[in-house]
């Protein structure tokens, strides 16, 4: 399974090995993370990305800190640095906090405990992902039944597959399940500028499993929805506030608006670790990452010689701004597809499902 449905694994030397997602789809390479600092660089530079996998590397980063130095002061310091390596995906803070609490209460072998807990966090994400797959695919089948259709067109934004959450992802999990159930499914993949997670990663993932899909420029979804070419939208999330507001890759909000205007169901697939009960108003309070303007100004691809290259696509001195995420208000979301079932995006229903 390593490297096919897992973006990360422990190698035989006890180090963390990850697929280098900055190289896909042109080069398939892995990177070995030997220290907490390596984990921090991998998260910051987006060698690993996607809320679930960031959380997993957060947990494994704490394990690597323990492997380097079992002094609790060092472990706490590194955990704080890992926690701060990217600001929006709350799975990172969630996973690091679980690790720290376990280690602070540990009476046995610190390293063994850290390793066991980090592996547990990854494995539980995998179980959550397979539950999301089933609930999400049931929705697809229900939509087909209601419309009397033999096939379904799904639109997704960014990458929420197994590169983002082991082993099936979140938003792509029901799509993989549809393939397993023999559902005739076609996926519109938003290219997801500026880093092109859709064009580079989602398309690569779906291609590996021979899932019928078409990459579309980010501006195309609204027109497709208006023309009746999309039956359902499904995305993942980096953080969902207690009132059901959804932070996900920049551009998600516009798709939700278009879906709402065209009466197309708009679902958000998340595991529990993506919920942030501390934030009551996501639009106001979810921290949004700002990244380098170079990600907007330069584009990466294969040149005519077949070599990976970067090109400037703007005037040299032009100014750009690069918000990594936006917030889709709860009112635009049809439901959250979680490992516990499907939940409406309001505080009462979210609490009932996760805190009752
Ligand atoms: O900046 P990225 O690539 O880490 O952003 C990823 C996303 O926005 C995904 O849609 C999100 O993490 C949900 S999938 C777990």
């Amino acid at each position: 399974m390593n490297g096919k449905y897992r973006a990360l694994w422990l190698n035989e030397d006890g180090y963390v090995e990850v697929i280098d997602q900055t190289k896909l789809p042109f080069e398939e390479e892995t990177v070995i993370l030997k220290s907490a600092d390596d984990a921090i660089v991998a998260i910051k530079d987006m060698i690993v990305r996607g809320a679930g996998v960031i959380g997993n590397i957060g947990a494994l980063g704490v394990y690597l800190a323990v492997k380097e130095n079992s002094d609790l002061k060092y472990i706490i310091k590194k955990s704080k640095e890992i926690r701060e390596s990217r600001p929006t995906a709350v799975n990172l803070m969630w996973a690091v906090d679980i690790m720290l609490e376990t280690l602070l209460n540990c009476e046995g072998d610190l390293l063994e405990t850290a390793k066991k807990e980090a592996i547990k966090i990854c494995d539980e994400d995998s179980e959550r992902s397979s539950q999301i797959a089933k609930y999400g695919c049931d929705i697809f089948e229900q939509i087909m039944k209601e419309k009397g259709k033999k096939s379904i067109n799904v639109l997704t934004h960014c990458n929420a597959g197994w590169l983002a959450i082991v082993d099936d992802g979140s938003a792509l999990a029901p799509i993989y399940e549809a393939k397993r159930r023999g559902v005739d499914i076609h996926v519109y993949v938003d290219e997801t500028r500026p880093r092109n997670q859709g064009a580079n990663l989602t398309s690569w993932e779906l291609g590996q499993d021979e899932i019928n899909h078409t990459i579309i420029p980010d501006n195309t979804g609204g027109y497709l929805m208006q023309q009746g070419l999309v039956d359902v939208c499904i995305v993942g999330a980096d953080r969902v506030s207690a009132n059901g507001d959804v932070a996900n890759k920049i551009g998600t909000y516009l798709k939700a608006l278009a879906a709402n205007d065209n009466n197309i169901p708009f679902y958000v697939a998340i595991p529990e670790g993506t919920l942030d009960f501390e934030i009551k108003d996501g639009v106001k309070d979810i921290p949004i990452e700002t990244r380098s303007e170079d990600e907007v100004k330069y584009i990466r691809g294969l040149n005519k010689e077949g070599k990976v290259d970067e090109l400037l696509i703007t005037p040299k001195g032009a100014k750009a701004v690069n918000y990594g995420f936006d917030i889709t208000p709860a009112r635009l979301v049809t439901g959250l597809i979680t490992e516990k079932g499907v939940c409406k995006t309001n505080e009462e229903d979210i609490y009932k499902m996760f805190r009752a």
Side-chain angles (χ1 to χ4, degrees):
M1 294 266 279
N2 293 349
K4 177 83 203 279
Y5 295 107
R6 293 229 167 181
L8 55 112
W9 56 94
L10 276 184
N11 69 16
E12 53 214 15
D13 301 320
Y15 292 121
V16 180
E17 195 154 344
V18 301
I19 295 181
D20 185 344
Q21 299 193 34
T22 64
K23 299 272 170 66
L24 290 172
F26 310 113
E27 297 154 307
E28 295 179 20
E29 286 178 15
T30 64
V31 174
I32 296 173
L33 314 179
K34 294 191 168 173
S35 64
D37 284 347
D38 286 351
I40 292 168
V41 169
I43 293 171
K44 280 193 172 155
D45 291 353
M46 294 178 66
I47 291 167
V48 289
R49 31 75 41 217
V53 163
I54 293 175
N56 295 166
I57 293 297
L60 287 161
V62 176
Y63 152 73
L64 290 173
V66 181
K67 206 166 154 63
E68 286 170 77
N69 185 343
S70 58
D71 176 29
L72 271 179
K73 266 198 215 130
Y74 179 79
I75 297 166
I76 293 169
K77 178 174 170 280
K78 285 294 154 193
S79 298
K80 186 169 177 292
E81 287 170 27
I82 295 169
R83 223 177 169 279
E84 289 168 357
S85 54
R86 278 191 83 187
T88 303
V90 76
N91 306 56
L92 175 60
M93 299 83 191
W94 172 82
V96 171
D97 291 350
I98 294 176
M99 289 297 291
L100 257 189
E101 200 189 319
T102 307
L103 292 174
L104 294 177
N105 291 312
C106 168
E107 286 169 0
D109 184 284
L110 219 52
L111 185 59
E112 258 319 293
T113 305
K115 184 174 171 186
K116 235 168 100 185
E117 190 63 36
I119 290 174
K120 185 166 162 247
I121 288 173
C122 302
D123 287 348
E124 285 179 356
D125 262 2
S126 161
E127 279 163 36
R128 292 183 189 105
S129 162
S130 45
Q131 287 307 109
I132 290 170
K134 289 178 192 140
Y135 289 119
C137 192
D138 289 348
I139 291 176
F140 291 170
E141 292 191 304
Q142 184 62 29
I143 290 171
M144 286 164 68
K145 203 168 143 203
E146 279 165 15
K147 289 184 149 182
K149 288 183 71 172
K150 293 210 171 346
S151 60
I152 188 161
N153 279 300
V154 181
L155 184 144
T156 192
H157 190 70
C158 195
N159 172 265
W162 63 261
L163 290 168
I165 290 192
V166 292
D167 291 301
D168 252 4
S170 52
L172 295 195
I175 292 167
Y176 288 124
E177 178 69 11
K179 163 96 182 181
R180 289 191 285 266
R181 288 188 198 176
V183 172
D184 184 1
I185 191 163
H186 167 260
V187 188
Y188 285 112
V189 177
D190 279 351
E191 60 178 347
T192 319
R193 285 279 295 142
R195 288 189 65 105
N196 292 317
Q197 286 94 331
N200 289 344
L201 306 178
T202 300
S203 178
W204 179 79
E205 262 196 42
L206 295 177
Q208 302 265 309
D209 269 278
E210 296 177 356
I211 291 175
N212 186 14
H213 67 281
T214 307
I215 299 166
I216 51 172
D218 286 330
N219 305 326
T220 305
Y223 176 69
L224 294 181
M225 290 187 221
Q226 212 173 40
Q227 298 301 313
L229 296 171
V230 176
D231 297 302
V232 59
C233 299
I234 186 165
V235 297
D238 291 80
R239 194 183 298 224
V240 175
S241 55
N243 67 334
D245 293 337
V246 171
N248 191 47
K249 182 52 56 195
I250 193 83
T252 302
Y253 174 38
L254 286 174
K255 293 303 139 70
L257 282 171
N260 187 262
D261 194 44
N262 291 284
N263 286 319
I264 290 163
F266 189 93
Y267 284 98
V268 177
I270 54 157
E272 180 174 2
T274 306
L275 285 166
D276 186 344
F277 287 95
E278 302 294 310
I279 294 188
K280 305 290 178 203
D281 180 341
V283 175
K284 235 174 67 201
D285 293 329
I286 294 179
I288 297 295
E289 174 180 30
T290 308
R291 297 187 63 85
S292 160
E293 61 181 298
D294 282 354
E295 291 182 356
V296 180
K297 293 169 67 174
Y298 288 84
I299 199 148
R300 185 181 63 103
L302 278 191
N303 65 18
K304 284 190 179 143
E305 284 79 50
K307 295 244 157 48
V308 177
D309 218 343
E310 276 203 356
L311 288 180
L312 178 68
I313 56 166
T314 62
K316 267 193 187 144
K319 239 187 2 186
V321 69
N322 186 9
Y323 295 109
F325 302 92
D326 62 21
I327 314 286
T328 301
R331 69 186 155 79
L332 297 177
V333 179
T334 311
L336 298 173
I337 304 171
T338 78
E339 68 271 25
K340 296 198 167 165
V342 182
C343 171
K344 288 254 168 269
T345 40
N346 62 65
E347 194 155 351
E348 199 188 327
D349 285 21
I350 293 174
Y351 265 86
K352 230 188 264 164
M353 187 160 277
F354 287 97
R355 288 291 183 266

